[in-house]
Amino acid sequence: MIMLKLKNLFKKSEHNVDFDNLPQHIGIIMDGNGRWAKKRGLPRTGGHAVGAKTFEKIVEDAGNIGIKIVTVYAFSTENWNRPKEEVDTLMSLLEDYLDNGLERLAGRDVKIHFIGDRSAFSDEFQKKICHMEKATETNSGLLLNVALNYGGRAEILNAVKEICHKVQNGEFSCSDIDEKTISDHLYTAGQPDPDLIIRPSGEYRLSNFLMWQSAYSELWFSNLLWPDFSKENLLEAISDYQKRNRRFGGV
Ligand code: IPE
Ligand code: IPE
Ligand code: MG
């Protein structure tokens, strides 16, 4: 009886996902923490604490499902515009991840890479970022990009500046610049573009996430709020993605 129940649960949770045809790279805009807290009469910061737990859980689920790359939007270049108390809470949650995330990830084959402008953070914070990257650099299961002080436009601007310097130094000429040159100078250099971008919270926008890389990404929106997002929802998004017809401008 128990076995039958478990079997049914497993079947139900598969959402008809074809595990041989998974999206290689999934981007996730972890949105809706504030509204989740508000609905419960809590301060917005309470929503961020639960959202941080959801983040770690979903990373684990994505790895178990067999996803190769996940990019999570944790803090945008525009999120500095929030009240200081909220920014401070977000930073201390991030610091907790930098301090204790490795222990919680122990035994999981996850390689962590931070994308975004880290120069805005203190030396100590930057050291912690580097430590986490170094400690996981030989892992080859799931590549997790954590977008921190990340903005898609800032990323492209940064790439343009780096390319300009290289042209000035004679490393290549303007006529050599093509789309791959730009891609190679983004924080995600060498990685495939996201196949699927997931955004909960009921907003239908990218909010400056992976502006270059998302040119042909499939988008999946949901009214769920990030703290409520579960493995079931991830499987649902993947299953929907697998029904799409990606044409890339062809027929
Ligand atoms: C996403 O949740 C977390 C960050 C932007 C860091 P929000 O804080 O944006 O939650 P809502 O959109 O206000 O509900
Ligand atoms: C996008 O969410 C940024 C992150 C989830 C980190 P926002 O809540 O900042 O986006 P807007 O303001 O609704 O566009
Ligand atoms: Mg939001």
Side-chain angles (χ1 to χ4, degrees), residues 3 9 28 35 50 57 77 99 125 154 177 181 188 204 249:
M3 280 308 287
L9 202 71
I28 306 179
R35 278 164 281 178
V50 182
K57 175 77 178 59
T77 45
D99 289 336
F125 199 95
I177 300 170
T181 318
T188 52
Y204 296 84

Side-chain angles (χ1 to χ4, degrees), residues 29-31 73-76 79 82 199 205 207:
I29 301 175
M30 306 187 290
D31 195 23
Y73 206 3
F75 192 88
S76 76
N79 287 148
R82 297 188 176 203
R199 180 169 195 160
R205 54 178 172 260
S207 301

